[in-house]
Amino acid sequence: MVRKLYLILLCTLVMSTSTALYAQGAKDELAAYVQRLKESSAKGGSETAFMSVGSDFLYAQEYFEAGNYSSAEYSFANIVRSHKDHAFANYQLAISLIKQNNPEKAKLAQEYLEHAFALNPSLKARFAIDVPARKEVGASAPATPVEAKVPANSTPKETAPVTKDLEDYIERLKHSYATGGQETQIFSAGQEAILGIQYYEKGEFRSAETSFGLSLARDAESPYANYLMAVSLAAQGKEVEAKPFLQKATAADNTLVQRYAGDVASGKAKWNELQAAKQIKTTPVAKVTYGGALVYGDYVCTETFWNGPNANPLYRYEDRGYFALKKDGTYRWLDNGGTGKYSYNSKTGAITWLSGPLKDKAPKASNYQPGTTVAQVTVDFEGYSWECGCNK
């Protein structure tokens, strides 16, 4: 009896272990395939030979692993075009699209994802790991033309009714742009309009104005490009310039009138917030203090020279000698360069050379700064200066 029970437990353990290993192996089929390709490439194997699908897959996988999902998308799409039933290429194309966080690309990914699952059901387990926080396509709220923070002290207003046709226009262009559709192909009005929408949604209305202007140069009658142009202008405070665009837009779709004031108010709030963020906050230059108790000792002088544009270093410093200030109102220039007298105004910091070598050099002015660790006398000549420092 005990022997039978032992055999039953042993069989159960073997079966459960085999099942777990099978599930793990199934879940890791993609990883195993990638590893096999890498080993083939390292050894010069036939699976990754020149122009092979394995070589192309590994090339796309390198982009994917580097986080360059747009390039990975392009490369996996090339494989799927020529090998439509390549399960792993379909799967990696879908994941590359999803990881770009573009709702339209996420929608496009579903076709490739479903095909990959049909070809290899084990990829469903892999998907739960690759995209753990997956949202169902279409679950996100439709984009609004402007999403801005309204100042806390503003008066709450009724939310304007959503104009479905404007939202459809924006979503249609986004989908076309994400999928390479005709409506946003190169040199089209839609291409410029989608760029304008991207700027618009960020609150960068000056750039949006430029893009919508280029779009309207190709299609002047588009009511929604005219409307978005009007809001872009008004958000910048250009209400007069916005009027003709608004009139053309509302003539084609009069429901836009109901939302215009709200969109402009939100746009202005966003615009003002961005402009405030761009302001460079400068720290006032500390006021130079001259005068005070004079520090006596040796002042070593240097002159600063600019080495010219693109030079490294930009500046060089050349020694000009030193002078020693003494408490009795005399000074010495260099070790044996002569002596002289000076006077000092503690209120203004001005030093006047009364005699000796520094009087002979005829500086325009000499001013004393107390400093924190180094006392400095700046000796100004015609067109240049010496900075002379003495450690306290």
Side-chain angles (χ1 to χ4, degrees):
M1 179 68 181
V2 173
R3 181 179 176 81
K4 286 183 179 179
L5 181 59
Y6 172 77
L7 289 173
I8 291 169
L9 290 172
L10 181 62
C11 290
T12 303
L13 177 63
V14 169
M15 289 177 66
S16 62
T17 303
S18 300
T19 302
L21 289 172
Y22 174 79
Q24 183 178 358
K27 181 177 67 177
D28 290 337
E29 281 186 32
L30 172 58
Y33 176 67
V34 172
Q35 184 60 33
R36 192 174 79 234
L37 292 182
K38 289 181 178 180
E39 291 173 359
S40 172
S41 178
K43 297 175 182 177
S46 60
E47 194 172 12
T48 51
F50 181 65
M51 299 290 286
S52 66
V53 66
S55 175
D56 291 343
F57 189 97
L58 204 53
Y59 180 77
Q61 184 67 17
E62 287 174 357
Y63 280 125
F64 185 90
E65 291 177 1
N68 187 347
Y69 299 116
S70 60
S71 295
E73 172 200 342
Y74 179 82
S75 299
F76 283 125
N78 283 338
I79 298 173
V80 170
R81 272 192 287 271
S82 55
H83 299 79
K84 65 178 182 179
D85 291 331
H86 193 299
F88 298 135
N90 274 277
Y91 179 80
Q92 289 295 75
L93 172 56
I95 300 302
S96 298
L97 288 162
I98 290 169
K99 284 187 176 291
Q100 292 178 63
N101 296 319
N102 182 319
E104 296 304 322
K105 291 199 173 190
K107 291 177 187 176
L108 183 63
Q110 298 311 301
E111 174 188 348
Y112 301 105
L113 195 62
E114 289 169 7
H115 191 46
F117 290 162
L119 293 166
N120 188 334
S122 72
L123 290 170
K124 291 181 181 179
R126 172 84 187 207
F127 182 70
I129 297 171
D130 287 337
V131 190
R134 182 193 175 203
K135 293 182 180 180
E136 293 299 323
V137 172
S140 59
T144 55
V146 176
E147 295 177 2
K149 295 178 181 177
V150 178
N153 59 357
S154 63
T155 304
K157 296 181 180 179
E158 288 186 23
T159 304
V162 174
T163 306
K164 186 174 184 298
D165 287 341
L166 173 61
E167 305 301 338
D168 287 347
Y169 169 77
I170 293 171
E171 289 303 310
R172 192 176 74 241
L173 289 185
K174 285 183 177 180
H175 180 75
S176 175
Y177 183 71
T179 58
Q182 272 195 331
E183 196 169 7
T184 50
Q185 65 185 358
I186 191 168
F187 302 131
S188 67
Q191 181 195 37
E192 298 296 347
I194 190 62
L195 291 177
I197 289 168
Q198 290 170 354
Y199 286 126
Y200 184 104
E201 291 181 340
K202 294 175 185 176
E204 297 176 6
F205 295 112
R206 186 173 291 123
S207 296
E209 173 191 344
T210 300
S211 294
F212 288 130
L214 292 171
S215 178
L216 291 169
R218 294 186 171 96
D219 179 10
E221 302 307 315
S222 170
Y224 305 115
N226 274 285
Y227 178 79
L228 295 172
M229 177 66 147
V231 177
S232 297
L233 288 165
Q236 299 175 69
K238 303 176 181 178
E239 285 86 353
V240 174
E241 294 176 45
K243 281 184 179 180
F245 297 101
L246 179 63
Q247 288 169 354
K248 183 169 281 191
T250 54
D253 183 353
N254 62 8
T255 61
L256 293 169
V257 174
Q258 302 172 46
R259 66 175 300 154
Y260 182 68
D263 284 344
V264 170
S266 297
K268 283 184 175 181
K270 184 68 172 177
W271 173 256
N272 292 335
E273 182 182 340
L274 289 178
Q275 299 316 298
K278 291 177 183 177
Q279 294 296 320
I280 299 174
K281 297 178 181 179
T282 58
T283 303
V285 178
K287 186 178 180 181
V288 177
T289 302
Y290 294 103
L294 187 62
V295 172
Y296 304 105
D298 294 344
Y299 285 77
V300 179
C301 301
T302 59
E303 184 177 349
T304 304
F305 291 88
W306 182 52
N307 289 329
N310 303 319
N312 186 16
L314 282 173
Y315 299 95
R316 70 182 188 279
Y317 306 93
E318 295 187 3
D319 292 336
R320 288 293 179 256
Y322 79 94
F323 57 84
L325 291 181
K326 298 181 180 181
K327 192 173 183 179
D328 62 2
T330 64
Y331 71 93
R332 186 186 73 249
W333 174 246
L334 304 177
D335 290 340
N336 56 0
T339 60
K341 292 184 177 182
Y342 71 92
S343 66
Y344 173 61
N345 186 327
S346 61
K347 292 183 179 179
T348 64
I351 295 176
T352 304
W353 309 107
L354 302 174
S355 62
L358 288 175
K359 178 177 173 61
D360 295 341
K361 293 182 184 295
K364 292 177 64 179
S366 298
N367 293 292
Y368 172 78
Q369 298 170 240
T372 304
T373 59
V374 178
Q376 178 174 312
V377 174
T378 303
V379 184
D380 294 320
F381 297 92
E382 188 67 45
Y384 65 97
S385 299
W386 292 354
E387 291 84 29
C388 307
C390 177
N391 291 324
K392 291 185 174 180

